[in-house]
């Protein structure tokens, strides 16, 4: 028995040595001191990018839960399509249009028209800027913000828009509209030179999605039967479990959204700031959720879960423009105001007969405007005049161009499904498959 044990132990030791040898042979040399910041910042962009990418799942689950069961497959298909298209067109056009460096087509207003080029393999024959991060990590991180903008539009226009016109609009939004206005701030353009402050995108990302969604909702019109005889007809979502899951996924992803926007993880101060951003982001979401919970109890005598979910998201949108400088108490209040905005904005839109299926316009547009204004309360470098000018400028640009695109699509190929198709549901009429076939007509066959 001892001999058997000895032979087995020796064999195991030889196997481990064989496995370890190639790993040791491939082990790189320790990085030189000047590369440490580059390595950590690149790593931060990648991890933060993974988190923001997971927000695509959050948007998909939130929308799937808040639409009726006959339209769930369509929402999931739109979210898959928009994410893939955003990746392709941000690579082909968007990234260099947004970050042109010295290659502006019109200085400070219109960036460069060229596809994205990554660093060479192993940084061979190059002298990279070691004060920042790799091109690949920056491109990947920024792409996720672009895709999130398109996701905002998807939910607002649910249950009555055709698939392909929506996807064509997504190409225009992610390839041109979003990058052009983002270059004005984050690309070092004219709004940035004015002193506009938007840390992670309450305006640059969220209100842009909201303005595009508003233009689409106005041109598309409300769902059949939503507004009838002066009354609002409730159209409950199919699965509040999925909607809640989606909200928590978005909440998680927002740590990458805001934390990664610190842009550097190369000093103790930057790491401390990232942790501060995480804490403020979290408590702002909590404030938004609690404000919506309390207000719906007071106003309607019952807590409305959908309002609570959107209240949390509105709190996150509100803190996005400046998640670093507020104290925890200030971040809580900023988020709470965002949650309150949602509670009052949803019925306001209904009075205006603007049908927003998931509440994207109150969450991303209205709370985005509030968050951009709120910067002046905690950041002494912010100017209320510059903040307002920037909000208005971005709003006019995005709304006008989006409306023009929607009108062209409406005139050329149509953007709305037929009444019969809308009644029957887009899953079967547009896609020929149901998300829950066992609960539909399919369950009666056989």
């Amino acid at each position: 028995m001892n001999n058997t044990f000895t032979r087995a132990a020796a064999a195991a030791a030889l196997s481990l040595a064989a496995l370890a040898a190639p790993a040791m042979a491939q082990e790189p040399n320790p990085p030189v001191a000047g590369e440490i910041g580059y390595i950590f910042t690149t790593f931060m962009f990648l991890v933060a990018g993974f988190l923001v990418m997971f927000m695509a799942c959050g948007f998909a689950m939130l929308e799937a839960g808040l639409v009726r069961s006959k339209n769930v497959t369509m929402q999931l298909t739109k979210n898959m399509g928009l994410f893939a298209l955003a990746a392709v067109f941000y690579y082909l056009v968007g990234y260099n249009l947004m970050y042109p460096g010295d290659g502006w087509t019109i200085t400070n207003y219109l960036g460069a028209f060229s596809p994205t080029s990554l660093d060479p393999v192993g940084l061979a024959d190059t002298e990279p800027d070691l004060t920042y991060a790799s091109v690949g990590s920056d491109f990947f991180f920024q792409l996720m913000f672009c895709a999130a903008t398109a996701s905002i539009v998807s939910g607002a226009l649910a249950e009555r828009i055709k698939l392909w016109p929506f996807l064509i609009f997504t190409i225009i939004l992610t390839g041109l509209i979003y990058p052009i206005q983002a270059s004005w701030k984050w690309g070092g353009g004219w709004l940035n030179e004015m002193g506009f402050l938007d840390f992670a995108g309450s305006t640059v990302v969220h209100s842009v999605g909201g303005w595009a969604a508003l233009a689409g909702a106005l041109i598309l019109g409300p769902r059949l039967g939503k507004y009838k005889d002066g009354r609002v007809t409730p159209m409950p979502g199919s699965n509040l479990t999925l909607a809640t899951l989606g909200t928590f996924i978005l909440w998680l992803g927002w740590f990458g959204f805001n934390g990664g926007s610190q842009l550097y993880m190369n000093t103790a101060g930057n790491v401390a700031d990232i942790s501060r951003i995480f804490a403020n982001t979290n408590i702002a979401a909590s404030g938004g959720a609690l404000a919506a919970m309390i207000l719906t109890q007071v106003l309607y005598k019952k807590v409305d879960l959908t309002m609570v979910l959107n209240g949390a998201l509105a709190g996150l949108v509100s803190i996005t423009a400046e998640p670093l400088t507020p104290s925890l108490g200030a971040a809580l209040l900023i988020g709470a105001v965002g949650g309150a905005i949602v509670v009052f904005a949803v019925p306001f839109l209904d009075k205006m007969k603007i049908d927003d299926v998931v509440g994207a316009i109150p969450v991303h547009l209205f709370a985005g405007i509030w968050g951009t204004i709120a910067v002046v309360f905690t950041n002494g470098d912010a100017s209320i005049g510059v903040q307002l000018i920037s909000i208005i400028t971005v709003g006019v640009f995005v709304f006008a161009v989006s409306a023009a695109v929607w009108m062209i699509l409406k005139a050329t190929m149509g953007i709305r499904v037929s009444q019969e198709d809308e009644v029957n549901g887009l899953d079967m009429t547009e896609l020929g498959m149901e998300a829950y076939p066992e609960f539909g007509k399919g369950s009666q066959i056989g």
Side-chain angles (χ1 to χ4, degrees):
M1 186 173 179
N2 289 339
N3 289 337
T4 302
F5 176 81
T6 301
R7 287 195 298 272
L14 288 171
S15 298
L16 288 172
L19 289 171
M24 293 173 65
Q26 296 172 17
E27 188 177 64
N29 294 324
V32 299
E35 295 180 350
I36 296 296
Y38 179 89
I39 291 168
F40 275 104
T41 299
T42 295
F43 181 73
M44 177 200 70
F45 276 142
L46 294 175
V47 173
F50 301 157
L51 285 169
V52 184
M53 188 272 177
F54 197 38
M55 291 175 73
C57 176
F59 278 115
M61 294 301 97
L62 177 67
E63 294 172 25
L66 292 181
V67 300
R68 290 168 291 181
S69 58
K70 63 183 179 180
N71 296 310
V72 171
T73 303
M74 174 60 93
Q75 286 309 110
L76 299 177
T77 303
K78 284 162 59 181
N79 275 275
M80 288 295 296
L82 71 86
F83 190 87
L85 286 170
V88 171
F89 284 89
Y90 196 67
Y91 146 62
L92 290 175
V93 185
Y95 183 66
N96 284 333
L97 197 55
M98 183 170 164
Y99 293 106
D102 296 327
W104 291 89
T105 301
I106 302 175
T107 303
N108 293 339
Y109 290 93
L110 187 64
F113 288 90
S114 60
T116 306
S117 297
L118 302 179
D119 294 313
V121 175
L123 297 177
D125 302 321
T126 62
E127 294 184 7
D129 179 7
L130 296 179
T131 65
Y132 191 51
S134 71
V135 174
S137 67
D138 186 56
F139 167 77
F140 178 76
F141 179 66
Q142 300 298 339
L143 163 63
M144 299 307 144
F145 284 62
C146 181
T149 306
S151 296
I152 295 165
V153 183
S154 171
L157 308 183
E159 300 201 311
R160 73 270 200 205
I161 194 169
K162 293 179 180 179
L163 175 62
W164 288 106
F166 169 78
L167 293 179
I168 290 172
F169 179 82
T170 297
I171 292 172
I172 305 299
L173 178 64
T174 57
L176 297 172
I177 299 173
Y178 170 78
I180 287 173
Q181 61 80 35
S183 73
W184 298 343
K185 167 54 188 171
W186 291 342
W190 68 281
L191 289 181
N192 185 67
E193 292 191 342
M194 283 178 57
F196 176 43
L197 299 182
D198 189 2
F199 192 94
S202 287
T203 285
V204 173
V205 177
H206 294 284
S207 78
V208 167
W211 286 116
L214 177 61
L218 289 170
I219 294 168
L220 189 64
R223 288 168 290 175
L224 293 174
K226 178 64 176 178
Y227 307 113
K228 191 174 182 180
D229 300 327
R231 296 183 179 181
V232 179
T233 303
M235 295 181 173
S238 62
N239 194 325
L240 291 182
T241 304
L242 279 186
T244 304
L245 173 64
T247 301
F248 273 117
I249 291 173
L250 289 168
W251 192 327
L252 173 66
W254 231 287
F255 296 121
F257 203 99
N258 286 355
S261 294
Q262 177 68 13
L263 300 183
Y264 294 92
M265 201 174 80
N266 55 357
T267 65
N270 279 320
V271 173
D273 283 351
I274 291 170
S275 64
R276 182 183 177 97
I277 290 166
F278 275 31
N280 280 338
T281 298
N282 187 69
I283 203 166
S286 302
L290 291 173
M293 185 177 291
I294 294 167
L295 279 173
T296 53
Q297 177 67 54
V298 171
L299 295 173
Y300 307 124
K301 309 306 177 187
K302 291 182 180 179
V303 173
D304 184 330
L305 174 60
T306 61
M307 288 286 196
V308 175
L309 300 179
N310 277 330
L313 296 177
L316 289 162
V317 171
S318 299
I319 200 63
T320 294
E322 184 48 272
L324 176 60
T325 57
S327 64
L328 282 171
L332 176 65
L333 292 174
I334 290 169
V337 172
I341 286 171
V342 164
V343 173
F344 293 108
V346 169
F348 170 74
L349 287 182
D350 281 334
K351 288 182 180 179
M352 301 294 291
K353 295 185 179 180
I354 299 172
D355 188 11
D356 177 356
V357 178
V358 304
I361 296 169
V363 168
H364 299 279
L365 176 54
F366 293 177
I369 291 171
W370 153 244
T372 307
I373 294 171
V375 175
V376 302
F377 300 125
T378 64
N379 190 326
D381 294 331
S383 161
I384 185 62
V386 172
Q387 297 298 100
L388 291 173
I389 289 171
S390 300
I391 290 167
I392 294 168
T393 301
V394 170
V396 170
F397 169 74
V398 174
F399 184 84
V401 177
S402 296
V405 175
W406 286 125
M407 291 297 291
I408 292 170
L409 290 171
K410 182 178 181 180
T412 55
M413 60 190 304
I415 60 176
R416 183 162 184 151
V417 300
S418 68
Q419 290 190 11
E420 181 181 359
D421 288 352
E422 185 175 340
V423 170
N424 291 329
L426 278 60
D427 286 3
M428 288 303 297
T429 59
E430 285 270 295
L431 303 174
M433 62 177 66
E434 298 173 293
Y436 308 110
E438 68 273 24
F439 297 116
K441 294 178 183 178
S443 63
Q444 300 171 10
I445 298 175

